[in-house]
Amino acid sequence: MSRQAPRAFIFDMDGTIVDNMAFHTKSWVAFFERRGHAIDADDFFRATAGRQGHEIMRTYLGAGLTTEDTVLLDAEKEELYRELYAPHLETVAGFDQFIETAQEQDVRLAVATAAPPANIVFTLDGLDLRRHFDAVVGAADVARGKPNPDVFLLAAERCGVAPEHCIVFEDAPLGVEAARRAGMRAVVLTTTLPAEAFAEFDNVIRIARDFTELDIDALFETTNNIQQAQ
């Protein structure tokens, strides 16, 4: 009997492990209002979810911002976010049981996020989750945010799993596109956007409200069937 190739689940963090994107958007809106910019929350999320802070800063405040400028501004915005979200910090329904079952089935686990180090500490250590993951990749590890595939490819590499054997969990179109470019299938959680927002993606194998609706064997079976048909 042939040995099964290593498999991995790669989780976006914000909006996927924790249902927090509304708080991120509120903090961005407040941040830009301080600087005289009126931001439409829905349009902003759709355009920026998954992008790194320095990319967003330069889009809205000017390409001429120095690295030092963006570091200081990003720290200010993320402090706003953590103040808003701290009282609500918890995992999406079913997540803890889902990753426990995945580990029992020898599925490797990774986080691939556009979040800066302080937010990764805030979420993963605040919820005592870091110990469950074989790899954690964030904004400090890659130069480009989503929809570039860098963060997912690095997570797969650190897990020792080929991209075609990874399933990404995402809540944003830019993240699903990054997974597509990485050659990975995606599961979408509708914590932030409705299912219709992902209709154009051919790499989405499942759309669910939360992790209680997901079956690990079924996800990998779907992926295997697609690969065999190609």
Side-chain angles (χ1 to χ4, degrees):
M1 184 173 64
S2 61
R3 184 178 178 182
Q4 185 181 58
R7 308 176 298 173
F9 286 152
I10 303 178
F11 300 90
D12 173 50
M13 188 175 75
D14 293 339
T16 305
I17 295 176
V18 289
D19 185 4
N20 62 342
M21 289 309 297
F23 295 93
H24 264 302
T25 301
K26 287 178 183 177
S27 63
W28 276 117
V29 169
F31 172 85
F32 283 121
E33 282 181 347
R34 291 179 178 181
R35 288 159 176 81
H37 292 267
I39 301 293
D40 180 87
D42 290 339
D43 291 344
F44 179 84
F45 172 79
R46 291 171 185 269
T48 63
R51 297 178 66 192
Q52 295 185 6
H54 68 90
E55 296 172 318
I56 297 171
M57 296 293 180
R58 289 192 172 103
T59 296
Y60 287 86
L61 299 180
L65 287 176
T66 67
T67 299
E68 291 76 13
D69 290 334
T70 61
V71 168
L72 290 173
L73 291 169
D74 198 41
E76 178 188 335
K77 179 268 164 183
E78 296 305 345
E79 185 176 352
L80 277 172
Y81 154 71
R82 289 191 292 272
E83 288 176 0
L84 286 170
Y85 186 56
H88 309 278
L89 182 63
E90 64 179 356
T91 53
V92 169
F95 177 78
D96 299 84
Q97 182 59 55
F98 186 82
I99 61 170
E100 180 181 330
T101 303
Q103 288 179 305
E104 290 172 355
Q105 297 185 19
D106 295 323
V107 179
R108 298 174 191 178
L109 305 177
V111 172
T113 174
N119 282 5
I120 294 173
V121 170
F122 170 74
T123 299
L124 297 187
D125 296 340
L127 292 168
D128 191 27
L129 291 175
R130 191 184 295 264
R131 59 194 172 89
H132 295 291
F133 294 102
D134 299 286
V136 176
V137 180
D141 299 297
V142 294
R144 306 183 302 172
K146 304 165 187 175
N148 298 293
D150 310 25
V151 70
F152 290 136
L153 291 173
L154 183 56
E157 179 184 331
R158 289 183 176 178
C159 283
V161 178
E164 63 267 25
H165 297 304
C166 296
I167 296 176
V168 167
F169 294 80
E170 263 287 353
D171 72 308
L174 288 179
V176 176
E177 172 61 16
R180 187 191 68 78
R181 295 184 189 184
M184 300 176 185
R185 307 295 171 184
V187 173
V188 168
L189 295 186
T190 55
T191 55
T192 314
L193 292 174
E196 296 76 34
F198 304 90
E200 66 183 270
F201 294 103
D202 60 4
N203 63 321
V204 173
I205 60 172
R206 182 79 164 82
I207 296 178
R209 176 176 50 87
D210 56 42
F211 289 93
T212 66
E213 300 180 355
L214 300 176
D215 178 83
I216 292 172
D217 290 332
L219 294 178
F220 281 115
E221 182 179 355
T222 299
T223 299
N224 291 339
N225 290 341
I226 292 172
Q227 290 171 349
Q228 291 170 6
Q230 289 177 336

